[in-house]
Amino acid sequence: MIQRLFLMAGSFLMIGLQPACSQQPSSTTAEGNAPTTMVEDLTLADFYAQWKDSGATLVDVRSPEEYGAGHAAQALNINFFDNDFAAQAAAKLDKDAPVYIYCASGNRSGKAKKLLAEAGFKEVYNLTGAGYQQWAAAGYPVE
């Protein structure tokens, strides 16, 4: 009887943990081994602090018109709305190096992070809950 209770409790515990484990964002290698892609959403302060001394590429995924009106200093522009966004990113960026992406509000960059992960980028950091206007208002470097 006691063994049956422990077995049932263990089963419920395993079932309860399964959804939490399956919600972890990751991709796997061709062999199906350990995760190879890290995708992380960061607040404005954390995004800037992590990027500023990293030497990593900063990508503005807004339109060329938006980018031309002002953008974060050192940011490269790859328009999320271009049909070949992922192909452009693959041609211009190193998939093995960290990439920091932002847009106007976090919407486009949130979608772009998924495309970059699917394209095989190893580290993608997304500015969430903010965008270029908040970057500029915070006094971070702009061009």
Side-chain angles (χ1 to χ4, degrees):
M1 178 76 170
I2 293 175
Q3 284 179 326
R4 191 178 287 169
L5 285 174
F6 281 116
L7 186 58
M8 286 177 27
S11 296
F12 287 124
L13 180 62
M14 293 300 285
I15 291 169
L17 290 176
Q18 187 175 15
C21 294
S22 65
Q23 293 174 2
Q24 297 294 325
S26 68
S27 63
T28 59
T29 62
E31 299 82 31
N33 294 332
T36 59
T37 300
M38 182 175 65
V39 178
E40 187 175 353
D41 290 324
L42 299 171
T43 64
L44 179 60
D46 290 339
F47 184 89
Y48 181 73
Q50 198 169 307
W51 168 78
K52 71 176 181 166
D53 295 322
S54 70
T57 303
L58 181 61
V59 179
D60 183 328
V61 300
R62 299 176 303 152
S63 71
E65 294 78 20
E66 290 171 294
Y67 179 84
H71 56 273
Q74 303 175 26
L76 173 69
N77 183 224
I78 304 175
N79 185 4
F80 172 74
F81 288 127
D82 284 348
N83 290 333
D84 62 344
F85 168 77
Q88 285 184 51
K92 295 178 181 180
L93 305 171
D94 179 356
K95 289 184 177 185
D96 294 324
V99 177
Y100 288 76
I101 58 174
Y102 75 92
C103 63
S105 67
N107 185 31
R108 282 175 277 185
S109 62
K111 294 173 184 174
K113 75 179 179 186
K114 293 175 186 172
L115 292 177
L116 294 176
E118 290 170 4
F121 283 82
K122 304 278 191 223
E123 287 183 60
V124 181
Y125 299 95
N126 174 47
L127 175 57
T128 188
Y132 172 70
Q133 294 299 326
Q134 290 79 16
W135 174 284
Y140 299 145
V142 297
E143 296 176 348

